[in-house]
Amino acid sequence: MATTATTVRRIAVTLPAVPLGAENPLPALSPLDEVHQVDAGDRDRLPADMARQIGYAPLRSMLPVRLRDGYGRDRAPAALDAIAIENDLVRATVLPGLGGRLYSLVHKPTGRELLYRNPVFQPANFALADAWFSGGVEWNLGATGHCAHTCAPLHAARVPAPDGGEMLRLWEWERLRDLPFQIDMWLPAESEFLYVGIRVRNPHDRTVPAYWWSNMAVPETEHTRVLAPADAAYHFDYTRALSRVPVPAPHGEGSTDITYTTRSLHAADYFFDIEGDDRRWITALDAGGHGLVQTSTDVLRGRKLFLWGSGRGGQRWQEWLTEPGSGGYLEIQAGLARTQLEHIPMPADSAFSWLEAYGPLAADPARVHGDDWTAARAEAAERLEAALPRATVDAAYAAWLEHADTEPKDVLATGSGWGALETERSRADLPGTPFPAATLGDAQKPWLELLLAGVFPRPAADTPPGPALVAPQWRDLLESASTYPGNEWFLDYYLGISQWAAGDRAQAVRSWERSAGARPSPWALRALAVAEAAAGQPQQSAERYLAAYACLREQQPAAAAQPGPAQDEARAVQRALLLEAVPALIDAGRPADAERLLDEPAAGGTAPLDGGRIQLLRAQAALAGGDAAGARAIFDEGFTVENLREGDEALSDTWYAIAERLLAGDGPVDDAIRARARTTHPLPAAYDFRMRPEHHETGTAG
């Protein structure tokens, strides 16, 4: 029987979707709010290399990346650009405009979808840059957490595959660590496995911290079992403790078997400790022994299980990320290090590369689901070796390396212009991943002028400042730049951002003070407010935020009075500043000022800004001002915080603080009041996103 040649073609995926919205117009100066951190005291009990890599080069902020937090929760049918890779046995669907997500992987002979395919596109605040969505396979590069480009477009092109067929290449410039990367996907003829060749390059003359985890979402049922070649794992949960535990029963014989993910109550990570030169693989198999298996060459060392748990908080998050009745999912992952909490030093002028394979696995359910963990592991390993020998994967990797530098000719999608700017600056030689000058856009043009002419351009009239660059090379250019008369305030503002990113806070403050002194602007005043809050000066920070807000209203362009892009932009800036200013005012003991800002009309309108996050701030301001009943009324009316952060306990904390004040009246809140509040004012399910184990074990808010 003749086989059909593998094809790579553009298609569309239509599903209910939420628009991503605009980027946050304010640079991300605040410390990174990342829940995946290990308490320093726990590192002493870890292997020395692991402890060292956990402490190596953590991110200070998201600079230069801007946050993507302008989405809502109102979905409407939309067609998403997609690329299909297909042979006679498998059909893979990729979303190049959304981080190159492998959205679907279908085994055609059985009709099985091997991944969890989310029936909606619903962003949520899980990624480093906020917006993230669940499902499929996500390619995480940069730093601990879901990558900054997970909802951003990648370059995509069709290139020849090692077997002579077609291959999809995705590539971009990762901006947190300044690392170009590529992802090559192809289906060899008559293969049931999708091959994925990955290369991350460090073109710099310095060592750079590297991080990679391929994150696979798979369907979850009460019979799904996750297997990997390990007898122990490093356990991590929202208490920020990391410890080595036995697998599959971390708490000893007879305790919960965590490889059946619905049996656990709490959300948790388990990083399997694969020893020696054992083959790297992980699989999730259903009651019949069927499911997805992932394997790789040995460079991709780590394997991980993430489970949501059966507690109310974990289930609420699953509902939040999709729609009712969609079924649950779990995640199996593969990474460069043993745990996701580590970053690996990547030498100057070097590359990390490896090959992954994704496909179906069919195993004997009696062995897979038996009580003997060793036998279950052996069954999966044997079936994998029969379906895709380890030697075949190694050979495919060697063959792919010979094609990794092939120049793409048939472009299918376009990413950002940042790679073109960086290659223009560095003159890096990156065969196989071109960043053409044609991709340079408005965001890059001021920096191109700085690079080529040594001049920092004038700001565009009546528009917020564009994205900043903060790498050492760009900081050097800023420090030596000339500028146009009267434009010094603008240059100093950007120079302060680069100094802040480098940890030179005193210099950053001086630059912003010069900027504000030369020409008061909401941008420099807001930056100073962030700096004063970070320095433990809440009153000064509050004053700066008020000044920034007043300056913003004073300088709003006349065009913002009329509906249209200018008004939308003005409201986006106003909202971003409001969401920072109100908590700062509450922290400074100035709830009346916070409420005044919340009641100010939106740009060009008569009504205040609205939305769930603003309603939460209204409740918090009312509580801080002594109006607990008013705060409770806001909760009783109901609201939805559109971009609630993973691990954020603001809803439950505020709810119980209101309940405690209602019970205590004008008196103090003591332990007895706290206990009564949790009994008489139970947290409504709609507001329960708590993930820490102690919440479920004690019934408290922590």
Side-chain angles (χ1 to χ4, degrees):
M1 177 180 177
T3 59
T4 303
T6 300
T7 58
V8 175
R9 57 193 173 89
R10 296 179 62 179
I11 61 170
V13 171
T14 301
L15 71 169
V18 170
L20 271 173
E23 293 179 339
N24 190 307
L26 302 179
L29 301 176
S30 299
L32 192 66
D33 181 22
E34 173 53 51
V35 298
H36 301 98
Q37 298 178 0
V38 180
D39 290 337
D42 284 332
R43 296 181 193 172
D44 295 339
R45 297 190 291 271
L46 300 174
D49 62 332
M50 182 184 291
R52 183 171 59 254
Q53 291 179 168
I54 287 174
Y56 172 55
L59 288 180
R60 295 187 181 96
S61 73
M62 278 301 295
L63 292 169
V65 175
R66 287 189 162 192
L67 301 182
R68 178 72 75 161
D69 59 1
Y71 53 86
R73 292 193 61 80
D74 294 328
R75 297 190 283 266
L80 304 180
D81 290 336
I83 298 172
I85 312 168
E86 191 166 7
N87 67 5
D88 285 339
L89 301 173
V90 178
R91 182 175 61 253
T93 304
V94 177
L95 303 178
L98 294 168
R101 183 75 60 97
L102 177 56
Y103 175 70
S104 169
L105 189 65
V106 174
H107 183 234
K108 293 164 72 173
T110 61
R112 291 181 182 273
E113 171 61 73
L114 301 179
L115 301 171
Y116 169 72
R117 184 170 58 195
N118 199 330
V120 303
F121 173 65
Q122 176 57 66
N125 190 357
F126 275 63
L128 293 170
D130 193 320
W132 174 83
F133 65 106
S134 63
V137 181
E138 177 187 22
W139 318 106
N140 290 301
L141 169 65
T144 299
H146 296 284
C147 62
H149 56 267
T150 192
C151 285
L154 303 188
H155 300 279
R158 189 185 289 113
V159 296
D163 65 350
E166 294 182 336
M167 180 165 67
L168 172 65
R169 174 163 299 161
L170 303 164
W171 73 99
E172 246 300 357
W173 191 282
E174 199 287 318
R175 300 184 64 212
L176 292 177
R177 305 299 196 183
D178 274 334
L179 298 175
F181 67 95
Q182 74 185 79
I183 305 167
D184 289 355
M185 303 185 194
W186 77 102
L187 286 161
E190 302 181 13
S191 173
E192 293 185 314
F193 283 81
L194 176 71
Y195 286 1
V196 184
I198 296 172
R199 178 168 61 174
V200 180
R201 290 188 274 201
N202 176 11
H204 308 293
D205 59 1
R206 66 186 186 279
T207 299
V208 175
Y211 172 95
W212 184 283
W213 281 80
S214 300
N215 179 4
M216 300 150 258
V218 295
E220 178 187 56
T221 72
E222 63 177 319
H223 302 295
T224 303
R225 191 175 204 187
V226 174
L227 300 105
D231 292 315
Y234 288 92
H235 169 247
F236 179 81
D237 61 24
Y238 290 79
T239 63
R240 299 192 173 185
L242 183 66
S243 58
R244 192 173 189 270
V245 297
V247 172
H251 302 293
E253 188 175 349
S255 65
T256 299
D257 184 336
I258 56 92
T259 64
Y260 290 98
T261 55
T262 61
R263 298 180 186 179
S264 294
L265 182 60
H266 316 304
D269 297 329
Y270 290 92
F271 301 99
F272 292 104
D273 190 9
I274 303 174
E275 298 182 342
D277 62 352
D278 287 353
R279 186 177 186 182
R280 268 57 182 167
W281 58 268
I282 191 167
T283 185
L285 302 177
D286 62 17
H290 298 279
L292 174 79
V293 65
Q294 187 269 4
T295 187
S296 70
T297 49
D298 290 351
V299 166
L300 204 65
R301 177 182 185 183
R303 293 299 185 273
K304 171 192 166 183
L305 160 64
F306 168 76
L307 55 89
W308 284 104
S310 59
R312 192 164 78 169
Q315 295 304 301
R316 181 75 177 102
W317 275 118
Q318 291 227 48
E319 295 169 358
W320 184 256
L321 295 169
T322 183
E323 61 183 3
S326 298
Y329 76 94
L330 60 91
E331 292 175 0
I332 52 178
Q333 304 186 21
L336 284 175
R338 274 177 289 183
T339 75
Q340 263 180 342
L341 311 169
E342 303 167 66
H343 300 104
I344 298 174
M346 188 176 187
D349 194 25
S350 69
F352 290 160
S353 61
W354 62 92
L355 184 84
E356 303 182 39
Y358 296 80
L361 191 68
D364 180 356
R367 293 189 70 193
V368 164
H369 296 288
D371 294 334
D372 188 334
W373 170 248
T374 300
R377 280 176 43 193
E379 168 65 12
E382 291 163 8
R383 295 300 180 108
L384 171 61
E385 185 64 19
L388 184 66
R390 186 177 190 176
T392 300
V393 174
D394 291 339
Y397 170 64
W400 167 71
L401 277 182
E402 296 180 1
H403 291 74
D405 287 350
T406 301
E407 291 297 325
K409 302 296 184 183
D410 190 3
V411 174
L412 301 174
T414 303
S416 77
W418 295 112
L421 182 67
E422 291 296 340
T423 53
E424 176 67 27
R425 183 199 58 76
S426 66
R427 302 296 179 182
D429 183 21
L430 301 170
T433 55
F435 294 98
T439 61
L440 291 165
D442 290 341
Q444 292 84 38
K445 285 178 181 177
W447 300 95
L448 185 63
E449 183 174 348
L450 172 64
L451 176 66
L452 298 180
V455 177
F456 203 69
R458 292 186 179 94
D462 295 333
T463 60
L469 293 179
V470 299
Q473 302 89 336
W474 291 106
R475 177 180 173 181
D476 290 344
L477 290 171
L478 286 170
E479 288 176 339
S480 60
S482 61
T483 189
Y484 301 93
N487 191 43
E488 292 82 4
W489 72 272
F490 199 56
L491 174 59
D492 278 329
Y493 170 66
Y494 278 101
L495 181 58
I497 295 173
S498 68
Q499 292 163 337
W500 183 265
D504 194 347
R505 295 190 169 188
Q507 285 283 17
V509 168
R510 283 192 284 272
S511 294
W512 290 329
E513 285 176 340
R514 284 197 308 271
S515 176
R519 178 187 171 185
S521 72
W523 326 113
L525 291 169
R526 174 261 178 178
L528 287 168
V530 173
E532 285 159 344
Q537 300 173 326
Q539 294 300 329
Q540 293 92 323
S541 177
E543 286 294 335
R544 294 282 196 186
Y545 271 118
L546 289 172
Y549 205 85
C551 189
L552 177 68
R553 299 309 296 263
E554 180 182 329
Q555 296 180 8
Q556 274 179 346
Q562 301 298 323
Q567 186 180 93
D568 293 342
E569 185 176 73
R571 290 188 175 187
V573 175
Q574 182 184 355
R575 178 183 295 274
L577 188 55
L578 183 70
L579 295 182
E580 285 189 15
V582 168
L585 291 165
I586 294 172
D587 187 49
R590 302 174 67 167
D593 285 329
E595 291 181 320
R596 175 174 60 80
L597 290 194
L598 287 164
D599 289 337
E600 284 207 13
T606 58
L609 293 168
D610 59 8
R613 177 69 65 180
I614 288 175
Q615 288 299 94
L616 175 59
L617 290 177
R618 288 186 181 279
Q620 292 171 335
L623 177 63
D627 184 9
R632 174 61 183 264
I634 293 172
F635 270 82
D636 289 343
E637 184 178 347
F639 60 89
T640 299
V641 179
E642 299 87 350
N643 70 326
L644 190 68
R645 180 74 172 162
E646 179 190 16
D648 188 349
E649 298 171 0
L651 286 169
S652 52
D653 287 351
T654 305
W655 171 271
Y656 284 121
I658 293 168
E660 291 161 5
R661 181 47 54 200
L662 289 172
L663 290 173
D666 295 330
V669 174
D670 56 22
D671 289 344
I673 290 289
R674 293 188 182 95
R676 282 181 58 202
R678 282 146 182 79
T679 301
T680 60
H681 296 75
L683 181 67
Y687 300 127
D688 193 353
F689 292 87
R690 297 171 296 171
M691 301 292 286
R692 288 189 291 163
E694 59 264 32
H695 291 147
H696 305 278
E697 293 167 355
T698 67
T700 71

